[in-house]
Amino acid sequence: MASGKVTSWAHGEEFVDEESLFEESGVLARARERGSELGVAPVLPGAGALMRVLAASVGARSAVEIGTGAGVASLYVLAGMHPDGVLTTIDPEVENQRAAREAFSEAGLRSGRARTIAGSPREVIGRLTDHAYDLVSFHADAPHARDLLTHARRLLRPGGVLVISQALYHDRVADPTARDATTQEVRALLREVQEAEDLIPALSPSGDGVLAAVLRG
């Protein structure tokens, strides 16, 4: 990447002040620290800021997140949702859920705004109601990501937004020499979204890449 592009990318990552999102200072910084302790890679600020904007753009009142981690992306989505909006966030690791709940408490979110579910994402998401959600998000390198995409399209209401983070997968997706299995799976996922007749997609380089798509009405 040309040096000017690197500088521009870095500028974009710093554009939104994380400290301004919640009344309590350091909420996102501490959530990132917990993520590091748990070995969970949180979304970068540019990706989080974009997720917040997407949630706000549809006035999201109901959202699903697959892969809670330590709650960094969750906080960004909640910051963009309607004040009465509820985020359902799913993660198989109980420790991740515990860390996320601590972050939600520190952020001053009232009880009930974040519904945490520990369990297999494919099993849990399969029980959620069709066409009942304004936003669905997951990581591009999540296990069974293409199955998650199928469920996401079922869960979204017309006009709802699909958000797939880590869509450039450590800059490997655009590198033709990267042929490992995970990179290939991420490329296949992006192609499926790109070719879907019911989705209007865009790919942003913010963070580690954010693939967003609107479900046609």
Side-chain angles (χ1 to χ4, degrees):
M1 184 184 292
S3 61
K5 286 292 184 184
V6 172
T7 302
S8 293
W9 177 88
H11 184 72
E13 291 300 299
E14 298 169 356
F15 184 74
V16 173
D17 178 14
E18 290 191 330
E19 288 293 300
S20 69
L21 299 188
F22 301 100
E23 290 187 11
E24 180 71 24
S25 63
V27 171
L28 281 158
R30 288 191 294 276
R32 290 183 187 281
E33 289 174 3
R34 293 186 200 102
S36 296
E37 292 171 0
L38 292 168
V40 177
V43 296
L44 294 174
L50 181 54
M51 295 172 79
R52 176 183 175 227
V53 167
L54 290 167
S57 72
V58 293
R61 290 176 177 270
S62 186
V64 176
E65 175 188 50
I66 304 156
T68 310
V72 174
S74 315
L75 288 169
Y76 269 108
V77 171
L78 284 160
M81 292 178 70
H82 187 277
D84 294 328
V86 176
L87 173 68
T88 298
T89 180
I90 306 161
D91 198 292
E93 300 296 333
V94 174
E95 286 300 317
N96 290 354
Q97 296 279 6
R98 185 176 293 115
R101 285 194 294 270
E102 187 172 350
F104 302 154
S105 176
E106 288 184 357
L109 297 169
R110 71 175 183 278
S111 176
R113 284 215 59 203
R115 174 190 178 206
T116 58
I117 302 177
S120 165
R122 283 202 300 175
E123 292 179 7
V124 174
I125 199 172
R127 298 195 295 267
L128 300 182
T129 305
D130 293 4
H131 311 305
Y133 297 90
D134 302 301
L135 183 147
V136 177
S137 72
F138 61 90
H139 301 311
D141 60 339
H144 313 292
R146 296 176 73 182
D147 288 344
L148 298 180
L149 172 60
T150 299
H151 282 293
R153 291 158 76 178
R154 174 182 62 79
L155 295 177
L156 283 170
R157 64 165 177 79
V161 178
L162 169 70
V163 184
I164 302 177
S165 59
Q166 298 178 354
L168 294 176
Y169 191 56
H170 312 299
D171 297 318
R172 297 181 66 81
V173 167
D175 180 359
T177 67
R179 309 294 295 177
D180 60 280
T182 303
T183 301
Q184 297 279 50
E185 284 294 319
V186 173
R187 288 185 184 128
L189 176 69
L190 267 59
R191 282 195 301 272
E192 187 168 344
V193 173
Q194 186 179 32
E195 295 170 0
E197 294 184 358
D198 61 340
L199 296 174
I200 303 172
L203 178 60
S204 167
S206 295
D208 192 22
V210 176
L211 177 61
V214 174
L215 184 69
R216 293 181 185 272

